[in-house]
Amino acid sequence: AQRGATVVLGVGFSQADAIDKVAAEFPDTQFAIIDVSWLDRPNLRQYAFKEHEGSYLVGVAAAKASETGTVGFVGGMDIPLIRKFACGYVQGVKETNADAEVFETMTGTTPAAWNDPTKGAELTRSQIDRGADVVYHAAGGSGLGVIRAAADQGKLAIGVDSAQYSVAPGSVLTSMLKRVDYAAYDTFMDAKNGEFTSGVQILGLAEEGVDYVADDQNKDVLTEEMRAAIDAA
Protein backbone atom coordinates (compact mmCIF):
# COMPACT_ATOMS: atom_id res chain seq x y z
CA ALA A 1 0.00 0.00 0.00
CA GLN A 2 2.87 2.38 0.81
CA ARG A 3 4.38 1.69 -2.61
CA GLY A 4 1.21 2.75 -4.39
CA ALA A 5 -0.79 -0.41 -4.95
CA THR A 6 -4.40 0.54 -5.67
CA VAL A 7 -5.82 -2.86 -4.73
CA VAL A 8 -4.44 -5.36 -2.22
CA LEU A 9 -5.68 -8.94 -1.74
CA GLY A 10 -4.88 -11.00 1.35
CA VAL A 11 -5.42 -14.76 1.19
CA GLY A 12 -6.39 -16.45 4.45
CA PHE A 13 -7.89 -15.56 7.82
CA SER A 14 -4.43 -15.31 9.37
CA GLN A 15 -4.04 -12.00 7.52
CA ALA A 16 -7.25 -10.50 8.95
CA ASP A 17 -5.62 -8.30 11.59
CA ALA A 18 -3.01 -6.99 9.14
CA ILE A 19 -5.55 -6.21 6.40
CA ASP A 20 -7.89 -4.53 8.88
CA LYS A 21 -5.11 -2.34 10.26
CA VAL A 22 -3.69 -1.29 6.89
CA ALA A 23 -7.13 -0.76 5.30
CA ALA A 24 -7.79 1.79 8.04
CA GLU A 25 -4.46 3.52 7.34
CA PHE A 26 -5.10 3.71 3.56
CA PRO A 27 -8.79 4.59 3.11
CA ASP A 28 -8.37 5.34 -0.61
CA THR A 29 -6.86 1.92 -1.37
CA GLN A 30 -9.11 -1.05 -2.13
CA PHE A 31 -8.52 -4.16 -0.04
CA ALA A 32 -9.94 -7.68 -0.19
CA ILE A 33 -9.41 -10.79 1.91
CA ILE A 34 -10.24 -14.50 1.59
CA ASP A 35 -11.88 -16.56 4.37
CA VAL A 36 -12.87 -13.54 6.46
CA SER A 37 -16.36 -12.11 7.01
CA TRP A 38 -16.23 -10.27 10.34
CA LEU A 39 -14.32 -7.07 9.56
CA ASP A 40 -15.96 -3.74 8.79
CA ARG A 41 -14.12 -1.26 6.58
CA PRO A 42 -15.70 0.78 3.77
CA ASN A 43 -12.76 -0.05 1.47
CA LEU A 44 -12.62 -3.78 2.21
CA ARG A 45 -14.22 -6.69 0.36
CA GLN A 46 -14.42 -9.99 2.24
CA TYR A 47 -14.94 -13.46 0.80
CA ALA A 48 -16.36 -16.44 2.64
CA PHE A 49 -17.13 -19.83 1.12
CA LYS A 50 -19.77 -22.47 1.73
CA GLU A 51 -17.19 -25.18 2.26
CA HIS A 52 -19.87 -27.44 3.71
CA GLU A 53 -21.63 -27.56 0.33
CA GLY A 54 -18.57 -28.75 -1.57
CA SER A 55 -17.73 -31.13 1.27
CA TYR A 56 -21.23 -32.59 1.06
CA LEU A 57 -20.58 -33.52 -2.57
CA VAL A 58 -17.31 -35.31 -1.84
CA GLY A 59 -19.09 -37.02 1.05
CA VAL A 60 -21.46 -38.50 -1.53
CA ALA A 61 -18.41 -39.64 -3.51
CA ALA A 62 -16.82 -41.20 -0.43
CA ALA A 63 -19.95 -43.14 0.46
CA LYS A 64 -20.32 -44.41 -3.10
CA ALA A 65 -16.66 -45.44 -3.35
CA SER A 66 -16.36 -47.08 0.07
CA GLU A 67 -16.43 -50.86 0.18
CA THR A 68 -16.35 -51.06 3.98
CA GLY A 69 -19.04 -48.51 4.77
CA THR A 70 -16.47 -46.66 6.86
CA VAL A 71 -14.77 -43.44 5.78
CA GLY A 72 -12.63 -40.78 7.43
CA PHE A 73 -12.00 -37.07 7.71
CA VAL A 74 -8.74 -35.45 8.81
CA GLY A 75 -8.89 -31.73 9.51
CA GLY A 76 -6.07 -29.30 10.14
CA MET A 77 -6.38 -26.81 12.97
CA ASP A 78 -9.50 -27.40 15.07
CA ILE A 79 -11.45 -24.23 14.25
CA PRO A 80 -15.05 -23.54 13.14
CA LEU A 81 -13.99 -23.22 9.49
CA ILE A 82 -12.66 -26.79 9.41
CA ARG A 83 -15.67 -28.07 11.32
CA LYS A 84 -17.77 -26.74 8.42
CA PHE A 85 -15.83 -29.03 6.09
CA ALA A 86 -16.36 -31.98 8.43
CA CYS A 87 -20.06 -31.27 8.96
CA GLY A 88 -20.87 -31.13 5.25
CA TYR A 89 -18.81 -34.23 4.55
CA VAL A 90 -20.54 -36.29 7.24
CA GLN A 91 -23.96 -35.23 5.99
CA GLY A 92 -23.09 -36.12 2.40
CA VAL A 93 -21.89 -39.55 3.51
CA LYS A 94 -24.90 -40.21 5.74
CA GLU A 95 -27.48 -39.06 3.19
CA THR A 96 -25.94 -41.49 0.72
CA ASN A 97 -25.50 -44.38 3.14
CA ALA A 98 -27.34 -43.99 6.43
CA ASP A 99 -25.43 -46.93 7.92
CA ALA A 100 -22.00 -45.54 7.12
CA GLU A 101 -19.51 -44.71 9.86
CA VAL A 102 -17.38 -41.57 9.65
CA PHE A 103 -14.21 -41.03 11.69
CA GLU A 104 -13.31 -37.38 12.32
CA THR A 105 -9.89 -36.28 13.57
CA MET A 106 -8.20 -32.88 13.75
CA THR A 107 -4.44 -32.57 13.39
CA GLY A 108 -4.02 -30.01 16.17
CA THR A 109 -5.14 -26.82 17.88
CA THR A 110 -2.35 -24.46 16.79
CA PRO A 111 -1.26 -23.14 13.37
CA ALA A 112 1.36 -25.89 13.29
CA ALA A 113 -1.51 -28.26 12.48
CA TRP A 114 -1.42 -27.05 8.87
CA ASN A 115 2.16 -28.16 8.26
CA ASP A 116 2.58 -31.59 9.81
CA PRO A 117 2.29 -34.25 7.08
CA THR A 118 3.75 -36.85 9.43
CA LYS A 119 0.87 -36.33 11.86
CA GLY A 120 -1.59 -36.33 8.98
CA ALA A 121 -0.23 -39.68 7.84
CA GLU A 122 -0.40 -41.13 11.37
CA LEU A 123 -4.04 -40.11 11.79
CA THR A 124 -4.91 -41.55 8.40
CA ARG A 125 -3.26 -44.88 9.13
CA SER A 126 -5.18 -45.03 12.42
CA GLN A 127 -8.49 -44.48 10.61
CA ILE A 128 -7.60 -47.08 7.99
CA ASP A 129 -6.67 -49.57 10.73
CA ARG A 130 -10.22 -49.12 12.06
CA GLY A 131 -11.80 -49.82 8.67
CA ALA A 132 -11.83 -46.55 6.74
CA ASP A 133 -11.12 -46.99 3.04
CA VAL A 134 -11.72 -43.39 1.88
CA VAL A 135 -10.23 -40.41 3.78
CA TYR A 136 -11.00 -36.75 3.06
CA HIS A 137 -8.64 -34.08 4.30
CA ALA A 138 -8.97 -30.37 4.93
CA ALA A 139 -5.58 -30.00 6.53
CA GLY A 140 -3.35 -27.84 4.35
CA GLY A 141 0.20 -29.18 4.12
CA SER A 142 -0.66 -31.90 6.64
CA GLY A 143 -3.06 -33.26 4.06
CA LEU A 144 -0.19 -34.34 1.83
CA GLY A 145 0.57 -36.91 4.49
CA VAL A 146 -3.08 -37.99 4.47
CA ILE A 147 -3.07 -38.60 0.72
CA ARG A 148 0.25 -40.45 0.67
CA ALA A 149 -0.68 -42.62 3.65
CA ALA A 150 -3.95 -43.61 2.00
CA ALA A 151 -2.11 -44.44 -1.22
CA ASP A 152 0.51 -46.48 0.64
CA GLN A 153 -2.27 -48.51 2.27
CA GLY A 154 -4.08 -49.09 -1.03
CA LYS A 155 -6.99 -46.86 -0.02
CA LEU A 156 -8.50 -43.71 -1.50
CA ALA A 157 -8.02 -40.10 -0.45
CA ILE A 158 -10.03 -36.97 -1.25
CA GLY A 159 -8.12 -33.73 -1.75
CA VAL A 160 -9.13 -30.18 -0.95
CA ASP A 161 -9.02 -26.61 -2.28
CA SER A 162 -7.40 -27.55 -5.61
CA ALA A 163 -7.09 -30.71 -7.73
CA GLN A 164 -4.68 -32.98 -5.83
CA TYR A 165 -4.76 -36.07 -8.03
CA SER A 166 -1.09 -35.61 -8.93
CA VAL A 167 -0.02 -36.13 -5.30
CA ALA A 168 -0.87 -39.84 -5.62
CA PRO A 169 -2.22 -40.70 -9.09
CA GLY A 170 -4.82 -43.48 -8.97
CA SER A 171 -5.40 -43.02 -5.24
CA VAL A 172 -7.18 -39.64 -5.17
CA LEU A 173 -10.90 -40.16 -5.70
CA THR A 174 -11.64 -36.47 -6.22
CA SER A 175 -10.90 -33.10 -4.63
CA MET A 176 -13.23 -30.50 -3.17
CA LEU A 177 -12.50 -27.30 -5.06
CA LYS A 178 -12.62 -23.96 -3.30
CA ARG A 179 -12.51 -21.33 -6.01
CA VAL A 180 -10.19 -18.81 -4.43
CA ASP A 181 -9.01 -18.17 -7.99
CA TYR A 182 -12.48 -16.87 -8.94
CA ALA A 183 -12.51 -14.54 -5.92
CA ALA A 184 -9.04 -13.23 -6.72
CA TYR A 185 -9.90 -12.71 -10.40
CA ASP A 186 -13.13 -10.89 -9.57
CA THR A 187 -11.34 -8.66 -7.06
CA PHE A 188 -8.77 -7.41 -9.54
CA MET A 189 -11.11 -7.20 -12.53
CA ASP A 190 -13.71 -5.24 -10.54
CA ALA A 191 -10.98 -2.86 -9.36
CA LYS A 192 -9.71 -2.51 -12.94
CA ASN A 193 -13.21 -1.81 -14.28
CA GLY A 194 -14.22 0.62 -11.54
CA GLU A 195 -16.77 -1.84 -10.15
CA PHE A 196 -15.12 -2.65 -6.84
CA THR A 197 -17.57 -2.95 -3.93
CA SER A 198 -16.96 -3.54 -0.25
CA GLY A 199 -18.84 -5.88 2.05
CA VAL A 200 -19.07 -9.66 2.37
CA GLN A 201 -19.49 -12.04 -0.55
CA ILE A 202 -20.39 -15.65 0.30
CA LEU A 203 -19.65 -18.14 -2.46
CA GLY A 204 -21.27 -21.57 -2.57
CA LEU A 205 -22.34 -24.03 -5.24
CA ALA A 206 -24.82 -21.61 -6.79
CA GLU A 207 -22.09 -18.98 -7.13
CA GLU A 208 -19.51 -21.51 -8.41
CA GLY A 209 -17.48 -20.88 -5.29
CA VAL A 210 -17.11 -24.59 -4.47
CA ASP A 211 -17.06 -27.65 -6.71
CA TYR A 212 -15.53 -31.11 -7.07
CA VAL A 213 -13.03 -32.54 -9.53
CA ALA A 214 -14.36 -34.81 -12.28
CA ASP A 215 -11.95 -34.94 -15.21
CA ASP A 216 -9.97 -37.37 -17.34
CA GLN A 217 -7.36 -37.87 -14.64
CA ASN A 218 -9.68 -39.38 -12.04
CA LYS A 219 -12.20 -41.05 -14.37
CA ASP A 220 -10.88 -44.51 -13.47
CA VAL A 221 -11.58 -44.04 -9.75
CA LEU A 222 -14.57 -41.67 -9.85
CA THR A 223 -16.99 -43.68 -11.97
CA GLU A 224 -19.86 -42.38 -14.08
CA GLU A 225 -22.30 -43.72 -11.49
CA MET A 226 -20.55 -41.74 -8.75
CA ARG A 227 -20.48 -38.60 -10.87
CA ALA A 228 -24.19 -38.95 -11.60
CA ALA A 229 -24.96 -39.28 -7.88
CA ILE A 230 -22.87 -36.24 -7.03
CA ASP A 231 -24.43 -34.15 -9.80
CA ALA A 232 -27.90 -35.17 -8.60
CA ALA A 233 -26.98 -34.13 -5.06
Side-chain angles (χ1 to χ4, degrees), residues 2-223:
Q2 287 176 339
R3 286 182 285 155
T6 57
V7 57
V8 178
L9 171 66
V11 182
F13 59 84
S14 63
Q15 297 193 35
D17 290 346
I19 288 282
D20 188 45
K21 180 176 186 293
V22 180
E25 294 173 2
F26 293 84
D28 296 328
T29 301
Q30 296 165 335
F31 291 85
I33 188 166
I34 304 291
D35 281 346
V36 172
S37 59
W38 57 87
L39 301 177
D40 185 16
R41 299 289 177 192
N43 58 332
L44 175 64
R45 176 183 291 186
Q46 303 169 74
Y47 288 99
F49 293 82
K50 297 179 181 178
E51 294 91 356
H52 52 293
E53 292 185 351
S55 296
Y56 181 100
L57 296 187
V58 299
V60 173
K64 285 288 186 181
S66 178
E67 297 178 357
T68 64
T70 302
V71 300
F73 173 84
V74 176
M77 188 176 174
D78 190 359
I79 54 175
L81 172 67
I82 301 305
R83 292 201 169 271
K84 278 175 64 182
F85 282 89
C87 184
Y89 177 67
V90 170
Q91 189 173 0
V93 171
K94 292 286 191 179
E95 295 255 345
T96 307
N97 178 7
D99 297 324
E101 184 173 9
V102 186
F103 299 135
E104 299 176 65
T105 315
M106 298 294 181
T107 309
T109 57
T110 69
W114 303 117
N115 296 293
D116 193 345
T118 301
K119 181 71 176 292
E122 290 173 357
L123 296 175
T124 302
R125 283 192 290 268
S126 174
Q127 293 185 356
I128 290 171
D129 288 345
R130 289 180 286 151
D133 59 353
V134 184
V135 182
Y136 172 40
H137 89 84
S142 300
L144 298 177
V146 173
I147 294 173
R148 289 173 182 140
D152 288 346
Q153 300 280 329
K155 308 303 181 185
L156 291 170
I158 297 176
V160 77
D161 292 343
S162 61
Q164 294 191 307
Y165 185 86
S166 62
V167 176
S171 297
V172 179
L173 180 64
T174 185
S175 298
M176 197 287 278
L177 297 178
K178 184 170 170 179
R179 301 312 303 252
V180 173
D181 53 341
Y182 284 9
Y185 180 85
D186 287 347
T187 294
F188 291 116
M189 288 304 292
D190 287 351
K192 175 178 181 289
N193 296 328
E195 298 172 355
F196 185 89
T197 55
S198 59
V200 178
Q201 295 192 16
I202 301 176
L203 307 181
L205 276 171
E207 299 80 20
E208 298 184 329
V210 292
D211 203 348
Y212 77 102
V213 174
D215 57 22
D216 286 342
Q217 283 193 315
N218 68 339
K219 65 182 180 182
D220 291 337
V221 284
L222 191 72
T223 65

